[in-house]
Amino acid sequence: MKNPILPKTFKLEEGGMLLKSICLFLFSLLVMLASNYLEGGMFSSLLMFTSLLFVASGIIVPIFIAFSWQEILKILTISYSSDSVASSSEYKKALTFFKLLGDSAVLSGIVGFVFGLISTMDRFKNVELLTSSLSVAIVPVLYGLVVKLLVSYPLTASVQSKIIPKDL
C-alpha cells in the first residue's frame, strides 16, 4: 500500500530513513552544543554519564514492560521502512511506543532532577557549591527533552505520515 500523502521525492530507499534520522539527530545535537558554546557554556557541563544512565534506564524499563522484543523490532521496521505495510493497530501501537519513549524520557529526566536537587540541598552549606550543583542537577531534564525532541517527535511523525486517511 503506497502512501499518497508524501510525494515520491520524499521517499527514501530501504534503510535511507534510518541514515537520514541519524544524520539529522547528530546535526541537531551539534547545533545545540554549538549554540551553548557560543553563549559561553562549556561542553563538559552538558556531558554527565550518570545523568545519561539515569534517563536511559528510565526509558528502557517502561518500554520493555509494555512491549516485547518482537513488537519493538516491528515498530522500528514500520517507522524506518519507506514501503512498510502495516495494519492500523500496528500503526497505533507504534504511535503508543514513541509517545511512551518521549514521555518516559522527560519524566525520568525530571526524576533525575529531583534526585539531584535533593543531593544539592544536602550540600547547602556553600552558595557557590549550590549553583554548580544545580547546574549538574538539571542535566537529566535536558537529556530527557533532547530525546523527546530529536527522537520521539520525528519517529512519531514518520509513523503518522504513513497512516492513510480512509477518505483518500
Side-chain angles (χ1 to χ4, degrees):
M1 187 181 281
K2 299 286 183 185
N3 187 345
I5 297 170
L6 294 177
K8 289 182 181 178
T9 55
F10 289 106
K11 293 184 180 178
L12 299 170
E13 284 79 27
E14 199 69 34
M17 188 67 165
L18 178 61
L19 181 61
K20 179 182 175 185
S21 297
I22 291 171
C23 289
L24 289 174
F25 172 78
L26 292 175
F27 176 74
S28 299
L29 198 58
L30 182 65
V31 169
M32 288 179 185
L33 289 172
S35 63
N36 176 57
Y37 183 74
L38 290 173
E39 289 295 320
M42 300 295 292
F43 292 128
S44 61
S45 65
L46 298 176
L47 303 175
M48 306 280 171
F49 186 68
T50 53
S51 296
L52 182 65
L53 283 176
F54 198 92
V55 172
S57 66
I59 294 170
I60 291 170
V61 170
I63 291 290
F64 282 108
I65 288 173
F67 298 94
S68 69
W69 275 103
Q70 293 83 12
E71 289 173 318
I72 293 170
L73 290 175
K74 178 68 175 171
I75 288 166
L76 293 175
T77 303
I78 289 169
S79 63
Y80 282 115
S81 175
S82 58
D83 292 328
S84 176
V85 177
S87 67
S88 65
S89 66
E90 289 174 323
Y91 283 127
K92 287 178 185 176
K93 189 178 284 192
L95 291 173
T96 302
F97 174 84
F98 293 123
K99 182 174 178 4
L100 177 64
L101 181 126
D103 292 347
S104 61
V106 171
L107 290 175
S108 64
I110 291 170
V111 170
F113 172 68
V114 171
F115 274 86
L117 196 60
I118 291 169
S119 175
T120 298
M121 292 303 140
D122 189 41
R123 298 181 242 155
F124 190 61
K125 298 169 182 75
N126 187 350
V127 175
E128 291 174 7
L129 279 175
L130 180 67
T131 56
S132 66
S133 295
L134 282 175
S135 68
V136 169
I138 199 81
V139 170
V141 175
L142 173 68
Y143 288 169
L145 292 171
V146 166
V147 168
K148 180 128 183 162
L149 177 68
L150 298 181
V151 177
S152 178
Y153 280 161
L155 292 174
T156 300
S158 172
V159 171
Q160 284 177 335
S161 71
K162 295 176 184 181
I163 298 175
I164 300 169
K166 293 184 180 187
D167 305 328
L168 297 177

